[in-house]
Structure formats: structure tokens, C-alpha cells
Amino acid sequence: MAPRNVARSEPGTFYTSPPTARAGLAALATTKTWLTTVDHKRIGILYGVSAFVFFLIGGIEALIIRLQLVRPHNTLVDAPTYNALFTMHGTTMIFLAIMPLNAAFFNYMIPLMIGARDVAFPRLNALSYWIFLAGGLFLNLSWLVGTPPDGGWFGYANLTTRQFSPGLSIDFWMLSLQVLGVSSVIAAINFIVTVLNMRAPGMTLMRMPLFVWMTLVVQFLIVLAFPPVTVGLIFLMFDRFFGTHFFDVAAGGDLHLWQHLFWIFGHPEVYILILPAFGIVSEVLPTFSRKPLFGAPVMIYSGILIGFFGFGVWSHHMFAAGMGPVADAAFSIASMLIAIPTGVKIFNWLATMWNGTLRPTVAFHFAAGLVALFTIGGLSGIMHASPPVDLQQTDSYFVVAHLHYVLIGGSLFGILAGASYWWPKMTGRMLDERLGRVAFWIIFAGFNLTFFPQHYLGAIGMPRRIYTYSADTGWGFWNLVSTVGAFGIALGVLLFAVNAVRSLRSGAPATGDPWDGRTLEWRTSSPPPPHDFDEVPPVYGRDSFWREKHGDAQGRKPTPPPRVPEAHGIHLPGPSHWPIVIALGIGLVAVGALTSVALVLAGAAVMLVGAFAFALEHHANPAHAHQVGGLGIDHRKLAMWTFLGSECFFFGTLIATYMAYKGRSVVGPSPHEILNIPVTTLSTFDLLMSSLLMVLALAAAQRGDRRQSRLWLGGTALFGLIFLGFQAYEFTAFVHEGLTLQTNLFGSTFFVLTGFHGGHVTLGVIWLLTLLVLDLRGRLHVHDAIKVEVAGLYWHFVDIVWIVIFTLVYLAP
């Protein structure tokens, strides 16, 4: 098939797709454009390389932990260093290794598997990577300045408050997680829009590969689970930096609040880590069993149910916190129920392999290894659904064993299966199967040698997070065995890395379809050209490429659709340096928060300049803008709806905290002694009227009435500024009455809740003024009305949130 012309976004620049895999790899090897790339495949590689480096750092931390515990009364590291090691190991492996390794596959494979040429927002995709890298580097900067986080990856209050952690260690942890959360949510919105809106014609939702489905579920989990922990981190930041009282028991605060906010995120996070591995295994096993995935629709529904139930089981992490029998019973039942859809996957994978023509490739080994090991992890996990059992095993090494059987036996084995499976597609080179199998068996044996004995250690009473123990406990032998196994895992990972390097240097060239694959990514060259496909691939059903090659159950091959030439070539978005500028600004703000206000302001200035340039870049280059997709909804509108869903959880958490803490202040003025309801009613009416003006602005933009659109956009922004003026007046009056952030619990909750809403109004005003400037410069035409509509969705949401706040804070008794 002759390659099509591919147009970059610069006018008049054309090139053709690489004719061979070697030429494609050479094109990717150019280093000059990696910093500005928006190609989803390059960004996937950037994620993978960065995450593997962080994985090695986390692995080194784990080996030091095991060396410290190799014998009783060991003195390799002291207690503070050990605390820092297990904190950084957990945080690094979860947020900087497993999640971004999954993201590497999301970025590289999802567009290929759905027949798309890129993600919905290529530059936003680049931004998410650079923000991730900034957050990861900032977290590990703590080692260089001698204050690594040491409060555990769970950051329980009140250990993390300024009183008990007075240095910078918790500040590094707290700020880096907020930065990483921004990256994750941006990426999640991007992939939700990509999967829902950019599928090739004929690829219905039920025809999507399982990996795509599990990825979609994960993105919704990220969008909905990250806001609660973000709010918790904001509360912690205000307590540490500004003296608020969210986790101050003496002022009426509740330490359980942190646990609830963290585990509402923390348990869905388990499925954020494991569901991509489930998706990978669901692609690998059918390919190397030469059978369709058994019960694919049921596998899809089970994945959705896992994501849904994942939000209803968080408090089984808190059975020891004293919630009471009713709460314990509810979360116990929910924790048992979630085992059902998980068990469905195990049995369907076994049924897929049953009577299949098995090919024992390295990818198949890791996929089958996941089935075995995750079953063990699941069985040990279901024990914790019983509160009495959980109370005995809580904070013991039994829980450590369970966690690692899930996250290594599950997530890591799935990632290694995916790396082995898609390596030829990504690099154009084959891995050495013999060396790969050696690496697998060493990792498999080392893993079980490391973590299976820890079940026994926990059962006989060894607590987690202790840095030494006495000889008469009887824990020495199995800790020695566990340490030997850990170095076995390290050796196996080293062999895997050696295999990868050898492959890049001298591996056998890979064809486009070396495994006789079933899905669309195998329909293009290895590695794929920059535009992924020369023509949009046809979709004939589930496992479309397999049907194209081998026909259906009766051997009938589908008739290829007629080729439709693309008159103007294939347009790809051009490179952009603004994502890295924005990430640099965010990094400077984080560093400045620990050093100087001046650096915070400088970082904020860099970030704002980058954000404005980033937002306006596509006006000079229309190829950056994407339009209506598969759902018939503009990408930008779908992205905004997704973002607003996340914002509902963000403000819902803030409002729920205010309601939970209402009336618990032990000092200071009573709220209703100082709330000025008449003034706030006036400001509320002003904000509601601004929504009416926003509707008029959109109507004017849609009919091309530029004078009216400018009038109503300016009026909406003015009403927003008036609201902010009322809010500033109210805040000043409260301070005069003696109510500040630090006065009492009401002051803390009130100012943070209304302040963040005010920040959203401020952002909306800036957005409106930007649209007004574009209109004045003649860059807001009828076909640009979608930009006004998206801004309007945001503005109406902010107004609705204020109605809820006004009702609950000012009008409720």
C-alpha cells in the first residue's frame, strides 16, 4: 500500500510515512524535537523511560529496606532513614512507576487500537507528561536536600501536621502529590474524550478491545477519585502553611477525616493500578491461545463493576479505626461483593486458555503468571473483608504480602506482559525469547520467595514499618529468605532490561504483525508511522484484524470497504514548547512554596504566560483544534463536561467537610453572628444574572453578531468582578469581626470553601476577558462559537456551585 502524504501543521510542509521499520525508528531517534513533541507514541516512550527510571529508584529503596531487615538488630540504616525509605518506596512505586508505566501503554497503544491518528488533545497530552516529570523530580529532590518524606505513603494525620513533622519532608510529599494529581486528571480527561470520540467508523463500544475498555474505566476512576485526596492535601497544606485547623483535634477537627479522604481515593487507586494489567492480559492470552477472549461482554461488564464497587469499599482500610458495627458491616459486605467481578475475570482467562493452541512466549508467561499470582493476592485480600480477621492482620506483614501480590503479581506482571507483547510494535525489533523466559522465571521465583513468607511473618506477629527486631521473635530466617528473594526480583528485572537494550541494538527486525495479532495496532508497520495509519482501518467486529486475515467462524472474510481518498492529506498537530514551559512554572511554584514567595510569584508568572500562549496557540495554527467526534459532540465540550464531573467531586468534598465540621468550633465568634446575608444575597443575585448574560453572549456568537457578543461577554466578566468585589468586602468585614483562617474550625472551612469558589470565578473572568480580546481582534467568528459555549458551561457550573454554598452556609440554620 503506497503511503499517503502527511501534512504537518506548518503550511506547505509534507512528508511521507517511513517505508521501513528501520526508517521509522530512525525518525523517532532524532532528539532535537523530543522536548516539543506532541506525537502520542513519543510521549508514550517518554512516560515509559521516565517511569522505568523511577521504578529503579523505588527498587533500590526496597532493596535497602530488605537489607536492613535481613537479620535481627541490623544497623545498616537508622530509624529516620528507614521511615523515609518505606515512605518514598511506596510513593514512588505507586505514583511514579506503576501509574506512568500504564500511561506509557495508554499513550502509545490506545489511538492505534481504536484506529485513530492521535489522541483528542495532543498538546494537552504532552502537558500531562511534563507536569508528571516535574512532580516526580520535585519529590526526589527531597533526597538531595536531606529531607525526604517520612510519614508513610498514606500520610496519616496528625503525624503529618507541623507539630509532629516540623521540617520540609511532608511538604515535599504533599506538594508533589498535588502536582502529580493535576497531571493524572489532565491525562484522564484526554483519554476519555479520545476513546469516546475518536474510534474508527464501525468500532462500537462493545467492539473495543478489552485493554481500551479497562483504560476507559481507569480514566473515570482517576477523574472521580483524585478530587477527594486533592482536597485532603489542600487541607493539609493549609494546616501546615497557614495555621488552619482541619486536623487539629483541640480545635474540633477529626483525624478520621484524613483517612476517609485518603482511602476514598486510595482504594479506587488499587484498581487504577491493576485494571490496565487486566486489560493487557485480556489481549495477550487470546493472541497466544489463538482463541477469542472467552465471554468478552461479561469481561467488560465485570471491569465496569470493579470500578463502580471500588468507590464503596474504602473503609475496609479503617476497620481498626472504630467506625462502629453498622459501618463495618456495610463495608464488609461491599468488600465481599467486589470479589465477584474479579473472580469472573480469573475464570474467563482460564476458559480462554482452555483447549487453546498455546504459544509459550515471554508475554504469555507473564500474563499467565498474573492469573496465578493475582489469584493468591485476591484470596488474601478477601480475608480483609471480615472485620475480625482484618483487625488481627492490620499493620502486619500479612498486609504487606497481600499488597505486593496485587501490585507486583498483578500490575507489574501485567506491565511486563504488555512490554513483551508490544515491544516489537513500539521499536520494530524482537526481544530474545530465551533470555526473556529466563528473566520471567527468576522474577517469578524471586517474587514468591520474597512475599509468600511475609504472610507467615504477619501471622506470627511481625508488624509492618519496623526497622529492626530482636532475635527471640523468630522472624530472622524468613526475613533472610525474603531478602534473598528481593535480590532475585532485581536480577530478573536487570535481565529484562539487558534484553531490551540488546534488542534495540541488534534485535531481529519485526514485521507489522509478528504475533498474528487480533486488534488494529497490528495492522500498521512496526513502529507505526507518525500518522499511525495510511488509511482509516476498517472495523468488521470484535477482533477486527483477525477477521480480516482469517475470516469468521465459517472462514468467510469480510469485503474491504472502498478507499476514500483524503483530498488534503493527513494533518497532524505541530510541535509545541509551551507544555514544558507550563510544567517548569509549576515546578518553580512548588520549589518556591518551600523557599521564598518571590519564587512562587516568578513560577506563577511563567505558568500563566505559558498557559495563555498554550491556549491561544491554535488560533494561529488551526491544525491544533479538533472538532466533532464519534459521539457527535465536540472534543472540547466533551472534555469540559468530564472536567466538570471531576469538579463536582472536588466541591462536593469541600462542602461535605464544611457540613461535617459545622458547629464544632470551640472558640471564636458564631457564624451567624457575623454572616451578612443581605449583602451576600445581593452578590448571589449578581452572579446569577451573569449566567443570563453568558447565555446572551453565546446566542450572539452563534448568529455572528460580534457587537452583541462583545457586549455580553464584557458584561458577564464585569458581573463576575462585581461578585469578587462583594466577596473581598465580606472577607474584610469578617477579619474586622475577628474571624480569620486561624481563628477556629468554622473560619478554616468557610474561607477555604468560599475562597476556592472565588478562585474559580477569577479563572472564569480571565477566560471571558480572553475571549473578549479574541473577539476584538477579529478571531471569534461563528465557527468559533464552541469556545464561548465551553466557557459558558464552566461559568454556569460555577454559579450552580455558589447556589449550593449560599444555601448551606448562609441560609441553613
Side-chain angles (χ1 to χ4, degrees):
M1 180 185 296
R4 288 187 169 275
N5 284 336
V6 179
R8 299 303 289 185
S9 54
E10 293 80 1
T13 303
F14 293 89
Y15 65 93
T16 57
S17 59
T20 65
R22 180 173 297 180
L25 192 59
L28 285 176
T30 57
T31 58
K32 183 178 179 180
T33 59
W34 280 83
L35 295 180
T36 59
T37 185
V38 296
D39 184 350
H40 71 95
K41 297 178 290 298
R42 286 190 172 192
I43 293 171
I45 292 171
L46 288 171
Y47 263 113
V49 172
S50 302
F52 186 72
V53 171
F54 287 126
F55 175 76
L56 294 180
I57 294 172
I60 292 170
E61 292 161 351
L63 292 179
I64 297 173
I65 290 171
R66 289 312 318 165
L67 284 174
Q68 170 62 21
L69 296 175
V70 70
R71 62 184 178 88
H73 300 297
N74 205 3
T75 57
L76 177 65
V77 296
D78 57 14
T81 303
Y82 187 85
N83 290 344
L85 284 168
F86 74 69
T87 300
M88 287 294 287
H89 167 70
T91 305
T92 298
M93 286 303 196
I94 290 172
F95 296 103
L96 303 183
I98 301 298
M99 281 188 71
L101 282 171
N102 286 331
F105 294 129
F106 299 161
N107 278 274
Y108 204 106
M109 304 311 306
I110 291 300
L112 293 171
M113 297 180 84
I114 63 175
R117 290 205 166 90
D118 212 318
V119 294
F121 303 102
R123 295 177 308 126
L124 208 61
N125 202 27
L127 177 63
S128 69
Y129 166 73
W130 292 111
I131 293 177
F132 152 73
L133 186 62
L137 293 176
F138 177 75
L139 177 64
N140 282 276
L141 178 65
S142 61
W143 284 115
L144 301 181
V145 299
T147 57
D150 56 1
W153 81 278
F154 41 81
Y156 276 180
N158 56 358
L159 295 177
T160 50
T161 56
R162 186 70 71 185
Q163 178 183 358
F164 298 103
S165 296
L168 297 178
S169 59
I170 299 301
D171 297 333
F172 273 106
W173 179 83
M174 169 186 70
L175 293 171
S176 64
L177 288 193
Q178 292 184 65
V179 173
L180 293 169
V182 171
S183 168
S184 297
V185 172
I186 288 174
I189 293 172
N190 197 359
F191 281 106
I192 287 172
V193 178
T194 299
V195 172
L196 294 181
N197 242 21
M198 297 192 67
R199 288 165 283 131
M203 181 165 283
T204 62
L205 289 175
M206 295 307 293
R207 289 178 174 180
M208 291 195 310
L210 257 293
F211 179 69
V212 179
W213 258 111
M214 295 304 100
T215 299
L216 182 62
V217 173
V218 164
Q219 307 317 311
F220 276 105
L221 289 176
I222 290 173
V223 164
L224 301 179
F226 267 80
V229 77
T230 300
V231 170
L233 291 167
I234 289 170
F235 290 163
L236 180 60
M237 178 178 69
F238 272 80
D239 274 9
R240 291 183 62 84
F241 288 172
F242 305 113
T244 54
H245 304 285
F246 290 104
F247 304 118
D248 183 356
V249 176
D254 188 351
L255 299 182
H256 285 169
L257 173 65
W258 171 266
Q259 293 193 39
H260 282 295
L261 294 180
F262 183 82
W263 289 117
I264 287 172
F265 151 80
H267 203 82
E269 173 68 10
V270 173
Y271 303 114
I272 290 170
L273 298 173
I274 193 63
L275 282 177
F278 286 177
I280 291 171
V281 170
S282 299
E283 303 300 330
V284 171
L285 292 181
T287 297
F288 297 115
S289 300
R290 292 185 65 83
K291 285 177 58 182
L293 180 66
F294 182 85
V298 178
M299 291 286 275
I300 292 171
Y301 297 139
S302 68
I304 296 171
L305 280 175
I306 288 172
F308 179 78
F309 282 132
F311 281 100
V313 299
W314 80 85
S315 281
H316 70 216
H317 294 272
M318 299 171 58
F319 282 152
M323 296 183 298
V326 175
D328 285 355
F331 285 102
S332 175
I333 292 170
S335 301
M336 294 177 185
L337 286 175
I338 203 169
I340 297 173
T342 306
V344 165
K345 291 188 175 294
I346 300 294
F347 285 111
N348 281 33
W349 287 329
L350 295 175
T352 300
M353 291 184 281
W354 186 263
N355 279 339
T357 307
L358 302 183
R359 286 185 290 167
T361 61
V362 174
F364 179 85
H365 275 68
F366 279 111
L370 179 147
V371 176
L373 298 178
F374 186 82
T375 300
I376 296 174
L379 290 173
S380 64
I382 200 65
M383 298 178 187
H384 301 133
S386 170
V389 176
D390 182 84
L391 284 171
Q392 180 178 353
Q393 296 173 352
T394 289
D395 277 338
S396 75
Y397 255 76
F398 193 97
V399 178
V400 176
H402 158 67
L403 178 66
H404 286 82
Y405 263 86
V406 171
L407 294 188
I408 295 183
S411 296
L412 183 60
F413 270 66
I415 288 168
L416 293 175
S420 304
Y421 181 57
W422 284 313
W423 185 266
K425 178 57 59 180
M426 299 170 73
T427 66
R429 300 282 184 177
M430 300 296 292
L431 290 166
D432 185 330
E433 286 287 313
R434 180 179 300 178
L435 183 57
R437 280 192 288 270
V438 171
F440 164 79
W441 285 112
I442 291 176
I443 294 173
F444 186 84
F447 169 79
N448 285 285
L449 200 61
T450 302
F451 295 107
F452 199 83
Q454 291 180 8
H455 291 100
Y456 177 70
L457 286 170
I460 63 175
M462 182 174 177
R464 57 195 303 194
R465 297 187 286 273
I466 59 168
Y467 86 105
T468 190
Y469 54 93
S470 62
D472 58 7
T473 57
W475 303 338
F477 173 75
W478 290 114
N479 272 296
L480 172 62
V481 171
S482 187
T483 300
V484 172
F487 278 87
I489 297 174
L491 175 60
V493 171
L494 177 62
L495 290 178
F496 193 93
V498 169
N499 194 5
V501 173
R502 285 181 54 185
S503 169
L504 291 175
R505 290 182 175 178
S506 57
T511 63
D513 183 24
W515 307 127
D516 194 15
R518 311 183 72 87
T519 44
L520 293 181
E521 74 269 27
W522 303 110
R523 203 177 185 276
T524 186
S525 61
S526 297
H531 54 285
D532 290 354
F533 299 97
D534 293 333
E535 294 179 348
V536 176
V539 178
Y540 304 107
R542 173 167 295 283
D543 294 338
S544 179
F545 188 41
W546 179 268
R547 292 194 181 192
E548 191 175 343
K549 294 182 295 183
H550 303 290
D552 57 17
Q554 288 75 38
R556 296 171 298 188
K557 295 185 179 181
T559 303
R563 295 181 180 178
V564 180
E566 299 180 54
H568 302 289
I570 301 168
H571 291 272
L572 299 178
S576 175
H577 59 273
W578 294 115
I580 198 171
V581 171
I582 297 172
L584 177 62
I586 292 174
L588 289 175
V589 169
V591 173
L594 305 183
T595 54
S596 70
V597 175
L599 193 56
V600 171
L601 296 176
V606 171
M607 182 175 62
L608 287 174
V609 170
F612 271 109
F614 179 87
L616 300 177
E617 190 172 24
H618 70 274
H619 288 281
N621 188 348
H624 280 310
H626 290 277
Q627 300 300 320
V628 176
L631 292 181
I633 304 174
D634 186 277
H635 293 349
R636 291 159 289 187
K637 191 191 300 186
L638 183 57
M640 178 53 65
W641 279 114
T642 307
F643 170 71
L644 294 182
S646 182
E647 286 286 277
C648 286
F649 274 62
F650 177 82
F651 276 107
T653 306
L654 286 172
I655 293 169
T657 301
Y658 170 83
M659 298 302 292
Y661 276 172
K662 191 174 182 179
R664 296 180 64 169
S665 297
V666 297
V667 296
S670 171
H672 291 282
E673 293 176 359
I674 59 175
L675 290 176
N676 193 332
I677 295 179
V679 171
T680 311
T681 301
L682 188 59
S683 68
T684 301
F685 178 77
D686 165 80
L687 195 60
L688 292 179
M689 288 302 99
S690 72
S691 270
L692 174 60
L693 299 187
M694 193 71 231
V695 171
L696 296 174
L698 175 59
Q702 289 174 334
R703 66 175 180 265
D705 189 338
R706 293 183 56 199
R707 188 181 71 85
Q708 290 289 319
S709 66
R710 282 178 290 199
L711 174 64
W712 300 126
L713 283 173
T716 307
L718 176 62
F719 275 37
L721 288 172
I722 293 172
F723 174 83
L724 292 174
F726 274 117
Q727 194 169 56
Y729 168 79
E730 184 180 35
F731 283 6
T732 304
F734 285 171
V735 172
H736 181 73
E737 293 287 340
L739 181 68
T740 66
L741 272 169
Q742 300 83 12
T743 301
N744 57 22
L745 201 55
F746 171 74
S748 299
T749 54
F750 174 83
F751 281 108
V752 169
L753 172 58
T754 57
F756 268 95
H757 178 267
H760 280 68
V761 174
T762 303
L763 177 61
V765 168
I766 295 172
W767 193 346
L768 292 169
L769 292 175
T770 304
L771 290 174
L772 182 60
V773 170
L774 287 174
D775 201 358
L776 291 171
R777 296 174 64 183
R779 293 187 177 179
L780 202 62
H781 304 289
V782 175
H783 62 271
D784 295 314
I786 183 65
K787 299 168 187 174
V788 180
E789 185 176 359
V790 171
L793 288 173
Y794 174 85
W795 191 261
H796 298 319
F797 170 81
V798 169
D799 289 359
I800 292 170
V801 169
W802 179 252
I803 293 173
V804 176
I805 293 174
F806 177 67
T807 302
L808 295 177
V809 174
Y810 291 86
L811 301 183

